[in-house]
Amino acid sequence: MSTTITHALSGRIAVITGASSGIGQATARLLASQGAKVAVIARRQAALAQLVAEIEQAGGTALAVAADVTDQASVDAAAAAVLAAFGPTDLLFNNAGLMLPGAIDDNILPATEQQIDINVTGVMRVIHAFMPQLNAAAAEGGVVDLINTSSIAGQNIYPYFATYSATKAYVSHLSRHMRAELGSKGIRVSMIEPGIVSTELQSHWTFQGAKDWLASAREQMEFLQPGDVAEVVAFLAAQPKHVNLQQVVVMPTGQAS
C-alpha cells in the first residue's frame, strides 16, 4: 500500500458492517492500520471485541458495536454510538450479507426471506441510519464514501443462486442510482462486485449441489482472500475527492465468469 493511500485514510471515520469475519474483518484491520478510526459492527460481540483488541494492540483506534442489520432500532443505536464516540462517519462500508444457495423447486422460501432481509432490507437499514452522518461530513467539506458490497452474481447467471444473485443485482443498481443522487452533495457511492472469495459465507451452505460446485472450484482455481477485497476498499476511499470509482469487479484470475 502506497504512502499516498495511507495519508489519505488518516483521520477518516470508518464504519464497517459484517465486521466479525471475512471481508469486513480484513477491511477493518487494513483501514485502521492506515490511520482511520474504525467502528466495527456485527452481531457477534466476542468476535468484535477480539478484533478491536488486535487493532488497538497494533496501534490503531477501533470501536466494537454489536448490532443486527435485520433490526432498525439496533442499527440506529449503533449509528448513535459511533457518532458519540468518533463524530460523523465519513466512510461507510455496507458489507453485511448472507449467501444461501438452493434449488428453486425446493422449499427455499425461508432462505429467500433471510437473504432479502439481510442483503436488501439490511443494506437499506444501514443507509437509513448513517445517511445523516454522511451528509454532515459532506457538509463540512470532507471526503465521504459509501461503499456497498455486491457480487459478480449480480451480473451473471448461476444455478442454485437465484435469490442471492437477485439481491446483489439490487445492491448494484441501487448503488448506481444513489451515486447519481448523492454525488452533487459530495458523497461518493461505489460498489464492489467480487467473484468467489474464501470466507465464512460458504460454511452456511446446506444444498449439496452448491457444496459440490464449491469443492470442484477449489481444485480448479485460487479463490480471492478477504484481504484482496479490503485492498480495493482502501483504494476507493483514498482517491482524490473529485474521483469516484462507481463499480469495481474483482475476480480470481482463474474464474471466467
Side-chain angles (χ1 to χ4, degrees), residues 58-236:
T61 301
L63 173 71
V65 184
D68 184 348
V69 300
T70 67
D71 181 343
Q72 187 66 59
S74 178
V75 180
D76 289 345
V82 174
L83 181 62
F86 290 156
T89 300
D90 61 32
L91 199 176
L92 174 60
F93 183 34
N94 205 0
N95 171 69
L98 180 67
M99 180 194 297
L100 297 174
I104 201 71
D105 53 358
D106 288 344
N107 179 22
I108 62 168
L109 185 58
T112 295
E113 292 174 332
Q114 281 183 279
Q115 289 175 96
I116 291 173
D117 198 18
I118 293 176
N119 298 353
V120 174
T121 313
V123 163
M124 296 307 300
R125 291 187 184 103
V126 172
I127 291 169
H128 173 79
F130 283 94
M131 203 66 239
Q133 295 186 38
L134 298 177
N135 277 324
E140 293 175 0
V143 179
V144 181
D145 288 287
L146 168 55
I147 302 172
N148 294 318
T149 299
S150 184
S151 169
I152 191 62
Q155 296 187 36
N156 296 339
I157 307 301
Y158 302 99
Y160 313 131
F161 289 83
T163 299
Y164 176 77
S165 296
T167 65
K168 291 305 184 178
Y170 172 91
V171 172
S172 292
H173 210 46
L174 170 74
S175 301
R176 295 184 187 101
H177 282 271
M178 289 186 66
R179 197 195 75 79
E181 183 174 339
L182 297 176
S184 62
K185 299 181 178 182
I187 299 173
R188 304 187 298 197
V189 180
S190 304
M191 58 177 159
I192 302 176
E193 296 180 321
I196 187 70
V197 185
S198 183
T199 73
E200 193 179 84
L201 284 180
Q202 295 97 21
S203 68
H204 303 298
W205 294 8
T206 58
F207 181 68
Q208 192 59 47
K211 292 168 73 173
D212 292 343
W213 172 86
L214 183 68
S216 175
R218 287 191 188 280
E219 295 178 357
Q220 297 175 31
M221 69 177 116
E222 182 178 357
F223 289 2
L224 294 173
Q225 295 301 311
D228 299 325
V229 182
E231 293 280 355
V232 177
V233 176
F235 181 77
L236 292 173

